[in-house]
Amino acid sequence: MNQYLLSILVFLPLLVGLALLFIPADRSRLFKWLMIIITGIQLILSVLVYVQMPRGKNVPAGVYEEASFQWVEKQSWIQMELGNWGKLSIEYFLGVDGLSAAMVLLTGIVMFIGAVSSWTIQQNLKGYASLYLVMSSSIMGCFLALDFFLFYLFFEFMLLPMYFLIGIWGGERREYASIKFFIYTLLGSLFILVVMIGLYLSVIDPVKTAQEMELIEQASEANAQVILQVQEALAQGKIQNDQQVKTFNMLAMMDAGNYIPDSLLHKLSNFALGGFALRFWAFLALFIGFAIKLPMVPLHTWLPDAHVEAPTPVSVVLAGILLKIGGYGMIRIVFSIFPDGAVDFAWFIGLCGMISIIYGGLNALAMADLKKMIAYSSVSHMGFVLIGLASLTSVGVNGAIYQMLSHGILSAMLFLVVGVLYDRTHDRQIAHYRGLFKQMPHYSVLVMIAFFASLGLPGFSGFIGEIFTLTGGFGSKVLPRWIAGISVLGIIIGAAYFLWTMQKMFLGTLWVKGKEDWLRQMPDLNTREWFMLLTLAILTLVFGVFPNLIFDTSVASAAALVHWIFQG
Amino acid sequence: MFSNTLLQQLNAKLDEVLGNLSLLSPELVLAGGILLIILLDLIVKKKGQFVLRIAALGILLISGLLVEGQYQVAFDYRGLRTGMLWVNPISVFFKFIFLLAGILTILLSTKQAGFISDRLKWGEYFALLLTLILGLNLLAVSVNLLMIYLSLELVSICSYMLAIFQFNKKSTEGAIKYLLFGAMSSGFMLYGMSLLYGFTGSLEIYDQAFIDNLLKADPLLLLIVFTLTVTGLFFKIAILPFHIWVPDVYEAAPTPIVAFFSVAPKAAGLLVLSTLSGVFMLPTMSKSSYSFHWIDLLAILAISTILVGNLAALWQNNAKRLLAYSSIAHAGFLLIGLVAHNPLGLQSLIFYLGIYLFMNFGAFLFIEFFATYYVGSNKYDIREYQGLGIKYPFMGICITLIMIALTGLPPTAGFTAKLLIFSALWESYQTQGWDLLLTLFIIGLLNTAISLFYYLKIPFYLFLRKPILKSPQPNLPKPSMYGQILLVILVLMILVLFFKADWLLQLSDKVLKEHIQLML
């Protein structure tokens, strides 16, 4: 069981999702329960993974060292001969370290909450449930894959269920929003694909190459000495073409010693394009690919459309986890494989983060639609992740991971809040409601918790995330101070739009646009809504009061990553 | 005395011909089979269609078995060659593709798969199809310019006739266009070949004299001659600017035949093109005074073919025309394998063709099957698919997977094929450093995003739009088992070859390694 824990975590929903196709379509309650049960199991398993992670400063960190990953599963998947160009090896390679543990936990939580909130979906539940479960698999796969091909497979495969989930169950302009989402993110992933092709043709797997060279017989015999021997031979050009085993293994891509000397992505390659080394362009392409997913201003324009048109549970998943894959991809792939680029571009990334924070915030301030406002607040909050990452300090990277988790929980809560209102009146205009506290007091209290937590009130998780990323930004050796300084304004803007919205919608005398008709349809929260919102509220409070629950697992890995970047 | 030596010579010649006959056994079976089918057509009247189909399938299978035999021989005895023909591992592999495409075409030409044509003459239909395959088989093994031209003409003439087989106004128009363009391009080709003969005094492309004399000729003039020579092939592969016939013919011809056109002649054209460009590269490569290179020409053609195919496809609402433009774009992607001009390029080309066979047959099967039973008056209009995916989810999922594969996204083998072909291009760029290759690389990848837009149109109408008719139509049949199973097999191939890409790759690698050894 323990040995295949990660595989079960990834593939359980997929298998059930496919099995659903054989159940008659009219058993809608069964589909709803199955969705909740399966994501519930996934949640339990991800908590199991999380609590067993090593904690503290001096524990195995993962990042670039295979031995210190947890629950590693490594199997040869595709081996093929490439003409005269050696061999290609694709592995089924899963593992968790401090960088991904929090994301795995978040996926478990948000997918479960999303499944519970899917209870209100009416039409064609069979299709919905299987798409939702398939998507759950591919998201989990993204956070666990350590082989680039495998990662890319999960990364791309996510788009298709998402396209249909928005396109079939979405709002009025769902067709436009879904195709925009699909093409936008596909464009991003093509940037990633370019670099993936370049990387795998430049990098060899030292262990498998050693086997080809007949230095060792079994992969298990490999040790540091053998690897060093292979790398030296490679640097001296002593390994023939047909003995080189090219690999998609991300960890092999991180080690500069594994690059073939005359390959274009080698650190010392003389090759230049437009006056810059190809590594420079590769870093930029990868960064843009993940920045679209994050999303970073000015590549964010798909997000408001997708969010507004998506049904509530899909919005929850989209904001709660899908955006995090952008941030996670930057840590795991962009920064780890191109540490040189990370240092060179830190100011640029920081600047983009700052612009995202301010621009997203100002846009949120101007929105008349509650869901759009929250969508833009996501853009703003994800900007903090960029600041934390770009600071290249241990505090900042920890903060970025924490901010992703915190935003995952809070944005899920915020979109649920919108969903509650939308389910009752089918109207999301902020100006159409006033004084809701009198009509729905319980709901209003939970909304206040969500808003205050999001605007960064101490005691809730949003505060910790913002403080740590900004501290990282101020203490950074590579970022100018003013970037973090201006970003602080983002917190004030955030406070402005959340408080303003709260004042307009929940305080004052009761008035709604639809008058009596609407009020009749507006009872307070039901049990299911209570359960979802309360769970998330408790989580944000717990993580806000005990931030070490998260930091303990990520601190060693974050430090290792920063050390890795500056050493490399 | 004189007559005696002549007799001896004749005897020796006869022995050689008889000895080499084994090289041609699959083709001989095909030729015999064609006659058999024409005879059968005269004899059987009742159940004629059924008998003819079984006979045609049987002939293809026997021919396939014989090709399998050649495959073993080709691997063991390092190829079999005469002055005209050369049976080598790669050509044997391509023969398999043609035969498989032929078998699938026959399987698609049934009522159960949605192919209904009352006025069709089945005897002629199968006989022409087999002749077409015979021509392709010969084309694959030709190493002599004259032989190439003759087999290409055999292919062309059968194609013109098959294109008209719906026997309506539209198909007449399409077939005439096809004939005119085809005749023009083969005219160019013949002109180019005669100039080549003038330069070299030889028609055998692997003849040492042929290559030596080419190296002596003026490179710029050669480039023009080469371009003229390959026009006939460009026409078959549907490379810009010889692609104009494609949408009209695809729209007008019987769908199984269209599926065949979109794969088999393309594959044959690419094979011959790769052989020829191997030879043509030598003279343009060695003279550095001319900065323009044969590969440059191919690269520019690939870029423009991909662009034109994709951009034109964006505006199509007719499913067959959409797939026609998509097949033009794919021709551009296939050409990348030749532009890369390294072993990996050829290997990925073979892999791509193998996958493309399954994808395209799947797509055309779906279109015809769906159009016949479930779509209203406007048979191939995609907009008429509205909401049908929800009603027939199984078929809908299958076609979505095929469209995803055509776009080149995981988890389908379409992705692996694109990944390999772009890897080959990257390798080539890494060794050559030509900016044109990088341009091709970037434009090719960007076009994947563009193509998604129109490939998604079909799933979009199937699933995202509500059905037009509120009340269920009364007399819609259930999807036939036969059609569904055929579709599932094709889709499974696309999926399996993603998860186990090694199976096809190892084969293509073996073929290629053998082939390279032979060339040295």
Side-chain angles (χ1 to χ4, degrees):
Chain A
M1 167 79 184
N2 235 1
Q3 198 182 348
Y4 298 110
L5 189 59
L6 298 187
S7 286
I8 296 171
L9 201 50
V10 174
F11 289 108
L12 176 72
L14 180 73
L15 293 178
V16 177
L18 293 179
L20 283 188
L21 296 175
F22 299 100
I23 299 177
D26 49 358
R27 313 202 49 185
S28 57
R29 280 186 87 84
L30 178 70
F31 292 120
K32 288 178 184 173
W33 277 114
L34 262 177
M35 238 159 66
I36 293 174
I37 291 167
I38 297 301
T39 49
I41 296 174
Q42 211 185 8
L43 172 62
I44 294 168
L45 291 178
S46 59
V47 171
L48 218 62
V49 167
Y50 191 77
V51 294
Q52 292 183 51
M53 286 300 291
R55 288 165 180 278
K57 258 185 182 169
N58 302 312
V59 295
V63 186
Y64 51 87
E65 198 185 12
E66 190 188 323
S68 57
F69 276 84
Q70 309 296 320
W71 287 287
V72 173
E73 284 177 42
K74 198 173 179 185
Q75 219 99 86
S76 199
W77 174 16
I78 299 177
Q79 286 266 8
M80 48 199 186
E81 306 265 340
L82 297 175
N84 279 5
W85 301 95
K87 290 191 180 54
L88 176 160
S89 123
I90 298 174
E91 282 163 334
Y92 175 74
F93 186 12
L94 301 179
V96 201
D97 68 349
L99 301 178
S100 53
M103 296 297 106
V104 172
L105 179 67
L106 179 68
T107 310
I109 296 170
V110 175
M111 289 316 289
F112 176 67
I113 295 290
V116 176
S117 95
S118 302
W119 200 265
T120 49
I121 298 286
Q122 303 286 340
Q123 49 155 338
N124 202 355
L125 258 163
K126 180 178 172 179
Y128 181 88
S130 44
L131 285 173
Y132 188 88
L133 289 176
V134 167
M135 189 172 67
S136 170
S137 269
S138 60
I139 292 172
M140 196 56 103
C142 264
F143 289 125
L144 294 176
L146 292 176
D147 184 277
F148 211 145
F149 189 88
L150 194 63
F151 173 84
Y152 193 80
L153 164 67
F154 288 128
F155 190 74
E156 285 276 79
F157 192 54
M158 203 163 31
L159 302 182
L160 204 61
M162 204 58 186
Y163 168 74
F164 285 118
L165 284 174
I166 299 176
I168 300 178
W169 289 271
E172 256 165 52
R173 289 169 67 242
R174 58 178 181 272
E175 292 167 4
Y176 170 76
S178 56
I179 195 93
K180 187 169 175 180
F181 163 78
F182 202 157
I183 291 189
Y184 226 118
T185 32
L186 177 70
L187 198 68
S189 55
L190 287 176
F191 281 103
I192 299 170
L193 178 66
V194 176
V195 183
M196 183 173 94
I197 291 175
L199 274 174
Y200 96 82
L201 288 170
S202 307
V203 177
I204 62 153
D205 185 331
V207 178
K208 292 212 164 120
T209 307
Q211 276 172 290
E212 279 300 309
M213 293 165 71
E214 289 165 1
L215 289 177
I216 52 172
E217 269 178 22
Q218 298 287 321
S220 51
E221 292 171 33
N223 53 29
Q225 205 182 347
V226 173
I227 291 176
L228 208 64
Q229 197 182 344
V230 172
Q231 289 179 344
E232 268 169 17
L234 184 71
Q236 291 156 1
K238 278 186 194 156
I239 305 182
Q240 263 136 33
N241 261 343
D242 54 354
Q243 285 180 335
Q244 296 173 354
V245 180
K246 315 222 159 132
T247 182
F248 282 87
N249 186 334
M250 284 188 203
L251 307 183
M253 287 173 178
M254 292 176 198
D255 190 344
N258 291 336
Y259 284 75
I260 299 162
D262 51 358
S263 64
L264 295 183
L265 289 176
H266 192 271
K267 264 190 192 148
L268 303 175
S269 166
N270 287 326
F271 190 88
L273 191 74
F276 294 99
L278 213 60
R279 271 183 84 85
F280 172 96
W281 294 110
F283 178 88
L284 208 60
L286 266 186
F287 175 70
I288 291 173
F290 287 114
I292 288 177
K293 201 88 186 175
L294 190 67
M296 176 188 89
V297 176
L299 305 170
H300 67 288
T301 55
W302 62 270
L303 180 103
D305 285 309
H307 267 314
V308 170
E309 299 309 325
T312 308
V314 177
S315 289
V316 167
V317 173
L318 191 61
I321 333 176
L322 244 62
L323 307 188
K324 310 304 174 289
I325 294 172
Y328 172 76
M330 280 188 198
I331 304 178
R332 168 73 70 210
I333 296 174
V334 189
F335 280 48
S336 306
I337 297 181
F338 293 94
D340 40 349
V343 179
D344 290 347
F345 276 99
W347 63 271
F348 173 73
I349 298 170
L351 189 69
C352 289
M354 183 195 89
I355 294 172
S356 294
I357 293 172
I358 302 294
Y359 181 85
L362 289 176
N363 259 304
L365 209 49
M367 287 301 137
D369 182 326
L370 184 60
K371 209 171 184 184
K372 255 194 171 150
M373 183 207 97
I374 289 169
Y376 274 109
S377 85
S378 281
V379 176
S380 178
H381 283 146
M382 292 308 282
F384 286 104
V385 175
L386 281 178
I387 298 270
L389 286 181
S391 73
L392 299 182
T393 57
S394 182
V395 180
V397 174
N398 268 318
I401 294 171
Y402 186 93
Q403 170 74 358
M404 285 202 279
L405 178 99
S406 148
H407 177 255
I409 292 169
L410 287 173
S411 63
M413 197 171 168
L414 289 170
F415 279 107
L416 284 177
V417 160
V418 183
V420 167
L421 206 56
Y422 187 73
D423 282 345
R424 285 165 172 66
T425 61
H426 297 283
D427 191 299
R428 291 183 306 244
Q429 295 299 312
I430 295 174
H432 292 174
Y433 302 91
R434 208 181 303 143
L436 281 181
F437 189 81
K438 296 206 172 71
Q439 175 75 12
M440 306 166 74
H442 296 164
Y443 172 64
S444 305
V445 169
L446 283 165
V447 172
M448 281 174 200
I449 294 176
F451 279 12
F452 278 117
S454 298
L455 64 81
L457 192 73
F460 292 106
S461 62
F463 171 72
I464 308 283
E466 282 165 8
I467 282 302
F468 271 74
T469 47
L470 288 175
T471 312
F474 279 118
S476 167
K477 278 177 270 180
V478 286
L479 284 187
R481 290 272 158 76
W482 56 267
I483 285 187
I486 294 179
S487 303
V488 176
L489 287 178
I491 301 183
I492 298 167
I493 299 173
Y497 57 76
F498 277 123
L499 290 176
W500 204 7
T501 310
M502 193 180 321
Q503 185 213 340
K504 281 193 282 192
M505 290 183 73
F506 295 94
L507 307 180
T509 50
L510 178 65
W511 175 87
V512 289
K513 184 163 172 272
K515 304 280 161 57
E516 285 303 311
D517 288 348
W518 279 20
L519 286 179
R520 238 177 288 129
Q521 298 163 11
M522 289 172 76
D524 212 338
L525 299 176
N526 61 28
T527 325
R528 191 177 51 83
E529 290 161 344
W530 254 113
F531 168 72
M532 294 187 294
L533 290 174
L534 195 63
T535 313
L536 292 173
I538 292 172
L539 281 174
T540 175
L541 195 64
V542 168
F543 287 131
V545 178
F546 305 105
N548 273 355
L549 286 176
I550 303 301
F551 285 140
D552 271 353
T553 52
S554 67
V555 66
S557 299
L561 177 72
V562 171
H563 178 70
W564 175 248
I565 287 171
F566 282 108
Q567 168 214 48
Chain B
M1 189 67 195
F2 173 75
S3 65
N4 213 3
T5 46
L6 188 69
L7 213 63
Q8 270 176 356
Q9 268 180 0
L10 261 177
N11 255 337
K13 203 80 189 166
L14 209 62
D15 281 347
E16 194 194 327
V17 168
L18 285 175
N20 284 334
L21 220 50
S22 70
L23 292 186
L24 283 174
S25 53
E27 286 74 23
L28 288 175
V29 167
L30 276 178
I34 294 160
L35 297 177
L36 181 73
I37 284 194
I38 294 173
L39 277 178
L40 268 181
D41 190 31
L42 296 175
I43 299 164
V44 288
K45 286 279 179 257
K46 277 183 188 175
K47 294 226 169 191
Q49 205 205 100
F50 181 73
V51 174
L52 289 171
R53 177 167 300 120
I54 296 294
L57 274 178
I59 291 158
L60 283 180
L61 284 177
I62 293 170
S63 171
L65 285 178
L66 290 168
V67 174
E68 166 73 23
Q70 278 187 332
Y71 196 60
Q72 304 297 341
V73 175
F75 278 128
D76 294 347
Y77 300 116
R78 323 190 79 219
L80 304 158
R81 114 189 256 187
T82 67
M84 287 281 180
L85 309 172
W86 182 25
V87 182
N88 56 42
I90 288 197
S91 65
V92 172
F93 184 85
F94 273 74
K95 281 190 203 174
F96 271 126
I97 291 190
F98 306 146
L99 290 174
L100 192 55
I103 289 171
L104 283 172
T105 310
I106 294 173
L107 291 179
L108 253 63
S109 310
T110 54
K111 204 175 154 193
Q112 289 86 350
F115 182 64
I116 296 171
S117 191
D118 299 332
R119 281 177 287 181
L120 200 76
K121 311 263 186 299
W122 287 101
E124 284 87 340
Y125 182 82
F126 289 128
L128 280 172
L129 184 64
L130 291 189
T131 321
L132 184 50
I133 294 170
L134 173 67
L136 290 172
N137 271 357
L138 287 175
L139 193 57
V141 292
S142 303
V143 285
N144 180 301
L145 289 179
L146 204 59
M147 196 60 213
I148 290 175
Y149 180 75
L150 285 178
S151 7
L152 198 70
E153 279 307 280
L154 185 58
V155 172
S156 296
I157 291 167
C158 295
S159 309
Y160 304 146
M161 290 199 280
L162 279 171
I164 208 171
F165 253 64
Q166 297 275 33
F167 300 113
N168 54 28
K169 210 175 157 192
K170 210 156 201 174
S171 69
T172 319
E173 185 198 324
I176 279 290
K177 276 186 190 164
Y178 194 16
L179 173 66
L180 288 177
F181 284 120
M184 189 188 72
S185 62
S186 60
F188 279 137
M189 188 176 188
L190 201 56
Y191 184 51
M193 284 176 172
S194 62
L195 284 174
L196 274 181
Y197 184 65
F199 279 131
T200 61
S202 170
L203 284 171
E204 282 173 44
I205 46 180
Y206 287 122
D207 191 358
Q208 198 54 44
F210 186 81
I211 293 168
D212 288 344
N213 286 324
L214 276 188
L215 290 173
K216 283 180 208 148
D218 180 66
L220 190 64
L221 206 57
L222 272 186
L223 198 66
I224 298 169
V225 173
F226 289 163
T227 316
L228 283 173
T229 312
V230 294
T231 46
L233 302 171
F234 283 174
F235 176 77
K236 281 274 164 284
I237 311 171
I239 285 172
L240 214 73
F242 301 96
H243 69 289
I244 333 171
W245 59 276
V246 176
D248 287 321
V249 172
Y250 278 31
E251 194 184 356
T255 310
I257 292 298
V258 174
F260 187 82
F261 281 174
S262 71
V263 179
K266 229 172 231 186
L270 280 162
L271 176 62
V272 179
L273 188 60
S274 91
T275 316
L276 286 180
S277 40
V279 177
F280 290 174
M281 260 171 53
L282 299 171
T284 43
M285 194 94 117
S286 57
K287 299 273 169 47
S288 54
S289 52
Y290 292 97
S291 54
F292 205 69
H293 192 274
W294 176 243
I295 294 297
D296 289 346
L297 180 75
L298 289 186
I300 289 169
L301 285 177
I303 291 175
S304 43
T305 309
I306 292 172
L307 273 176
V308 167
N310 270 327
L311 294 178
L314 286 179
W315 313 110
Q316 305 303 324
N317 280 321
N318 180 312
K320 275 173 106 178
R321 286 186 87 88
L322 187 141
L323 281 181
Y325 282 110
S326 121
S327 87
I328 295 173
H330 276 282
F333 283 115
L334 287 163
L335 200 57
I336 292 179
L338 295 186
V339 172
H341 70 278
N342 49 24
L344 182 55
L346 214 52
Q347 191 187 355
S348 54
L349 177 67
I350 292 174
F351 185 83
Y352 201 123
L353 274 171
I355 303 301
Y356 188 62
L357 175 89
F358 297 117
M359 298 194 289
N360 252 22
F361 271 92
F364 280 110
L365 167 66
F366 171 83
I367 284 176
E368 187 70 14
F369 186 61
F370 228 60
T372 307
Y373 295 119
Y374 308 110
V375 179
S377 51
N378 215 342
K379 232 183 150 189
Y380 298 112
D381 198 325
I382 295 174
R383 285 166 298 192
E384 304 239 336
Y385 290 174
Q386 293 208 357
L388 286 173
I390 310 247
K391 231 168 164 180
Y392 305 101
F394 184 73
M395 304 278 289
I397 292 170
C398 284
I399 189 66
T400 306
L401 283 171
I402 290 172
M403 288 294 140
I404 288 300
L406 281 168
T407 319
L409 297 182
T412 61
F415 172 71
T416 321
K418 281 232 165 86
L419 179 75
L420 282 174
I421 219 144
F422 282 111
S423 301
L425 191 60
W426 179 278
E427 277 285 9
S428 176
Y429 176 61
Q430 190 154 302
T431 38
Q432 315 283 353
W434 293 341
D435 287 343
L436 197 58
L437 298 181
L438 190 68
T439 318
L440 175 59
F441 189 92
I442 290 167
I443 290 183
L445 276 179
L446 277 183
N447 268 276
T448 308
I450 299 177
S451 69
L452 179 72
F453 193 78
Y454 63 82
Y455 284 129
L456 264 190
K457 249 186 189 173
I458 290 178
F460 171 80
Y461 280 105
L462 279 172
F463 288 107
L464 266 57
R465 281 285 171 89
K466 296 272 174 293
I468 325 169
L469 296 167
K470 287 284 184 302
S471 59
Q473 284 154 292
N475 51 354
L476 282 183
K478 286 195 105 177
S480 81
M481 221 42 203
Y482 177 84
Q484 287 199 34
I485 289 174
L486 211 55
L487 194 59
V488 168
I489 290 173
L490 291 169
V491 171
L492 274 183
M493 290 305 287
I494 296 172
L495 291 179
V496 166
L497 284 174
F498 171 77
F499 290 105
K500 278 278 145 213
D502 349 17
W503 292 347
L504 185 52
L505 272 165
Q506 262 155 18
L507 185 67
S508 65
D509 182 61
K510 203 164 133 196
V511 166
L512 207 74
K513 282 223 170 98
E514 287 288 327
H515 190 73
I516 290 169
Q517 267 180 13
L518 286 175
M519 298 294 288
L520 295 176

